[in-house]
């Protein structure tokens, strides 16, 4: 058989790791017309994927049952996507596959990996002549199957080898596929991590909007479903608002009594990307209070038993969970509250995205990644969990000014923040009065209020630092570092 004939029988790409995300991405690739080889250590997963490929349209998908046959079934230069649990399983998979790979071949890790692990693996791959991409994939199971947002970083040559596949497989929006070459090193993983941090913020803010509407406004699940559906037709149009509207409609089939959302334990799980985002913000000295508040809220939700006990203790002291304050004992104007919460949610979301973008910018500067923030917003417009109509406006804000200091000061967004701040303050104020915790909305409002003030009380903090630690301070009216013998001068002043 000559070389050309052999090449035709080989797959265009391979995918190893056939949990649901892996299966769905493999089927997506095959459906777009790219013959794909698949492999999984547990062989039943290979059979399951082959069965689905037949059922879902006799797709060009070939199952392989050992690493050698899998690698050799792919045309050169080979590109292999791995979708396994982050950490040690990735290293084990790379070791098993790279044994049979040749210089010029590419490994693409599609998991939620810590970016420094990717940078280590890039170096290790390079020593064997292999190319490497760390590629964030967002959109969950549906996204993987029908069009995710993908964030590949690492070897540009590796990206060009699979660009045609990724561009077809990605979600499609009016200005192109939701994939782009992110940058060098672990930039793809880092961008996906920040995407997840923003997602934490989004979900927390939506849950606070729900809490205020339900517990301060007395709205039913049916009313909430209608409100979120209506919001999804306007400026808040997004995947998370859309699915929230759906959630309120679902009945509890197990008991046949009421809606399922009310039967779910109020204890949030997490995989770690939100924590990484907050840790990186601290490392880079970037304020990300909305994302941090969202992470703290997940930790607090985990204290379910403690919270139940605390609730009982405070009830004995005469404090109900929702406090009815005299200031607000009058009946809440539902229509106005709904509109206020909509505006507060929108303004708070802008803060969350601003924090994420600032984190990307700071890391890009530190690592020399040269991230294009407008392009990051564009590839998040489709396929991913945080996809939202206002991402197009974020893209345009960075196109207008690639060096934008903060999303909030873009002329369009600044105007919107000002227009919405009265409603935003009313919602946070009402929640505070009623004892309903709104950490995300409060953190966003404090972020806005701090950023827009030309003078903060930090002068007093600097004076304190100089008093007890001789850390010095700068003056507003003359150059240089200054130190004062505060205690001596204060004693003399008292005389």
């Amino acid at each position: 058989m000559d070389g050309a004939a052999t090449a035709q029988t080989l797959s265009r790409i391979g995918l190893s790791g056939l949990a649901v995300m892996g299966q769905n991405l493999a089927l997506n690739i095959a459906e777009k017309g790219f013959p794909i080889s698949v492999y999984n250590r547990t062989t039943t997963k290979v059979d399951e994927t082959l069965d689905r490929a037949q059922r879902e349209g006799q797709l060009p998908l070939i199952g392989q049952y050992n690493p050698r046959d899998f690698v050799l079934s792919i045309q050169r230069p080979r590109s292999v996507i791995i979708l396994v649990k982050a950490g040690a399983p990735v290293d084990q998979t790379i070791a098993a596959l790279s044994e049979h790979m040749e210089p010029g071949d590419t490994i693409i890790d599609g998991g939620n990996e810590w970016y420094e692990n990717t940078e280590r693996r890039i170096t290790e791959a390079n020593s064997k002549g292999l190319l490497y991409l760390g590629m964030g994939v967002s959109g969950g199971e549906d996204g993987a199957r029908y069009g995710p947002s993908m964030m590949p970083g690492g070897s540009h040559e590796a990206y060009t080898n699979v660009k045609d596949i990724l561009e077809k497989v990605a979600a499609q929006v009016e200005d192109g596929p939701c994939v782009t070459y992110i940058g060098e090193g672990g930039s793809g993983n880092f961008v996906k991590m920040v995407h997840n941090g923003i997602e934490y913020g989004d979900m927390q803010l939506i849950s606070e909007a729900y809490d205020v509407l339900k517990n301060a406004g007395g709205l039913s699940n049916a009313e909430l479903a209608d409100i979120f559906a209506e919001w999804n037709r306007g400026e808040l149009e997004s995947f998370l608002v859309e699915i929230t509207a759906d959630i309120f409609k679902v009945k509890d089939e197990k008991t046949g009594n009421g809606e399922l959302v009310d039967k779910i334990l109020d204890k949030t799980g997490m995989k770690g990307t939100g924590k990484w985002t907050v840790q990186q913000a601290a490392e880079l000295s970037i304020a990300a209070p909305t994302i941090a508040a969202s992470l703290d809220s997940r930790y607090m939700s985990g204290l379910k038993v403690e919270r139940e006990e605390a609730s009982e203790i405070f009830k004995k002291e005469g404090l109900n969970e929702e406090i009815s304050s005299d200031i607000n004992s009058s009946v809440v104007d539902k229509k106005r509250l709904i509109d206020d919460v909509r505006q507060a949610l929108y303004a708070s979301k802008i803060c969350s995205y601003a924090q994420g973008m600032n984190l990307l910018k700071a890391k890009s500067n530190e690592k020399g990644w040269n991230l294009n923030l407008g392009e990051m917003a564009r590839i998040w417009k489709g396929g991913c969990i945080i996809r939202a109509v206002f991402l197009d406006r974020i893209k345009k804000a960075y196109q207008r000014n690639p060096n934008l200091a903060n999303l909030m000061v873009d002329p369009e967004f600044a105007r919107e923040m000002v227009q919405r701040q009265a409603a935003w303050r009313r919602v946070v104020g009402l929640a505070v009065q009623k004892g309903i915790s709104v950490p995300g909305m409060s953190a966003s409002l404090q972020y806005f209020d701090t950023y827009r003030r030309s003078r903060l009380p930090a002068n007093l903090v600097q004076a304190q630092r100089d008093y007890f630690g001789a850390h010095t301070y700068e003056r507003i009216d003359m150059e240089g570092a200054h130190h004062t013998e505060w205690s001596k001068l204060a004693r003399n002043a008292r005389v």
Side-chain angles (χ1 to χ4, degrees):
M1 202 184 261
D2 66 21
T6 310
Q8 282 174 354
T9 61
L10 295 176
S11 293
R12 174 72 172 79
I13 192 167
L15 190 144
S16 172
L18 297 171
V20 179
M21 281 290 284
Q23 283 189 27
N24 282 1
L25 191 59
L27 292 164
N28 183 353
I29 291 167
E31 194 167 62
K32 298 302 187 297
F34 300 102
I36 182 169
S37 292
V38 297
Y39 166 71
N40 196 81
R41 240 174 29 174
T42 314
T43 55
T44 52
K45 291 284 185 195
V46 179
D47 294 333
E48 202 178 289
T49 312
L50 285 169
D51 183 50
R52 282 188 64 190
Q54 279 306 301
R55 282 188 288 112
E56 294 178 30
Q58 296 183 319
L59 304 174
L61 186 141
I62 301 101
Q64 298 293 345
Y65 295 90
N66 65 65
R68 184 178 178 276
D69 289 351
F70 169 64
V71 170
L72 296 181
S73 71
I74 304 160
Q75 70 184 52
R76 298 178 59 192
R78 303 180 184 95
S79 297
V80 174
I81 299 170
I82 56 176
L83 268 167
V84 298
K85 201 170 187 284
V90 177
D91 291 306
Q92 289 155 10
T93 306
I94 290 169
L97 299 179
S98 61
E99 209 178 303
H100 310 289
M101 295 175 85
E102 297 169 85
D105 290 351
T106 294
I107 295 166
I108 304 165
D109 175 16
N112 271 337
E113 188 55 272
W114 174 238
Y115 84 99
E116 287 180 338
N117 284 346
T118 294
E119 301 200 326
R120 165 178 61 79
R121 289 173 189 141
I122 287 172
T123 307
E124 290 166 1
N126 286 350
S127 69
K128 298 175 184 165
L130 299 175
L131 309 178
Y132 199 94
L133 285 175
M135 181 171 75
V137 180
S138 178
E141 295 172 17
D142 270 8
R145 182 64 184 86
Y146 301 109
S149 171
M150 292 179 284
M151 297 150 249
S155 159
H156 190 262
E157 185 188 341
Y159 177 69
T160 57
N161 287 346
V162 290
K163 183 171 184 268
D164 60 332
I165 299 175
L166 298 183
E167 287 187 346
K168 279 263 171 58
V169 163
Q172 307 292 317
V173 290
E174 77 284 348
D175 47 6
C178 292
V179 63
T180 190
Y181 175 68
I182 301 290
E184 297 292 325
S187 59
N189 295 114
F190 194 89
V191 168
K192 174 59 165 50
M193 177 198 78
V194 172
H195 161 287
N196 286 20
I198 293 170
E199 182 185 307
Y200 271 52
D202 254 2
M203 293 169 78
Q204 177 64 26
L205 293 168
I206 289 169
S207 75
E208 291 174 18
Y210 152 63
D211 201 7
V212 171
L213 291 173
K214 181 184 177 182
N215 290 308
L219 275 73
S220 68
N221 289 330
E223 288 173 307
L224 288 164
D226 290 343
I227 287 158
F228 277 90
E230 187 185 326
W231 286 356
N232 196 48
R233 292 190 284 273
E235 65 189 10
L236 286 171
E237 184 191 325
S238 62
F239 173 68
L240 285 169
V241 169
E242 179 189 337
I243 67 168
T244 302
D246 282 350
I247 286 166
F248 291 122
K249 293 176 194 163
V250 175
K251 301 288 179 197
D252 179 19
E253 289 182 348
K254 286 197 165 56
T255 64
N257 182 21
E259 286 78 31
L260 179 57
V261 69
D262 296 325
K263 308 292 194 307
I264 296 174
L265 186 70
D266 52 320
K267 193 172 171 181
T268 314
M270 67 193 98
K271 294 276 180 67
T273 45
K275 182 169 85 171
W276 292 346
T277 306
V278 173
Q279 286 172 330
Q280 280 296 296
E283 291 277 333
L284 292 159
S285 305
I286 295 294
T290 311
I291 299 170
S294 307
L295 182 65
D296 286 340
S297 293
R298 293 197 181 194
Y299 293 147
M300 292 286 282
S301 80
L303 306 175
K304 176 65 173 171
V305 175
E306 287 182 42
R307 288 188 289 111
E308 286 178 334
E309 288 169 357
S311 174
E312 289 306 314
I313 290 165
F314 288 114
K315 264 183 203 156
K316 282 177 190 156
E317 298 300 326
L319 186 65
N320 288 323
E321 284 197 11
E322 269 80 44
I323 304 156
S324 179
S325 103
D326 292 336
I327 310 169
N328 208 61
S329 53
S330 59
V331 176
V332 171
D333 178 342
K334 272 194 192 182
K335 197 167 183 297
R336 178 169 163 179
L337 180 64
I338 292 163
D339 194 56
D340 279 357
V341 172
R342 176 184 59 78
Q343 294 185 61
L345 178 56
Y346 185 82
S348 299
K349 273 166 69 87
I350 292 171
C351 294
S352 185
Y353 282 75
Q355 293 158 30
M357 290 299 185
N358 284 359
L359 183 49
L360 289 178
K361 183 166 59 176
K363 195 67 178 184
S364 180
N365 291 342
E366 181 196 80
K367 302 285 285 185
W369 285 338
N370 199 24
L371 295 181
N372 179 336
L373 297 182
E375 189 66 353
M376 299 306 101
R378 187 194 69 75
I379 65 166
W380 290 343
K381 278 166 55 177
C384 73
I385 303 301
I386 64 170
R387 61 185 182 264
V389 72
F390 90 148
L391 277 159
D392 193 56
R393 308 214 357 266
I394 294 178
K395 178 194 82 170
K396 285 172 180 158
Y398 284 107
Q399 282 176 340
R400 280 193 289 276
N401 179 6
N403 300 311
L404 189 62
N406 189 298
L407 192 58
M408 294 189 296
V409 297
D410 169 74
E412 271 196 28
F413 283 117
R415 191 179 314 117
E416 290 186 336
M417 300 294 273
V418 172
Q419 286 166 351
R420 284 159 181 74
Q421 53 119 19
W424 195 6
R425 292 181 201 286
R426 283 195 294 271
V427 171
V428 172
L430 175 67
V432 169
Q433 286 165 8
K434 290 219 167 260
I436 298 168
S437 55
V438 283
M441 284 187 184
S442 304
S444 291
L445 183 56
Q446 299 309 324
Y447 181 72
F448 170 67
D449 278 341
T450 304
Y451 194 71
R452 70 183 179 80
R453 288 184 67 193
S454 59
R455 188 160 172 84
L456 294 169
N459 52 319
L460 179 59
V461 176
Q462 279 301 86
Q464 291 168 338
R465 292 179 74 242
D466 189 52
Y467 190 122
F468 66 68
H471 292 295
T472 75
Y473 57 88
E474 293 175 83
R475 291 180 59 106
I476 58 175
D477 54 355
M478 54 186 79
E479 291 293 311
H482 302 268
H483 171 61
T484 295
E485 296 290 335
W486 295 92
S487 57
K488 194 198 298 181
L489 291 174
R491 269 197 308 276
N492 292 345
R494 281 200 293 270
V495 173

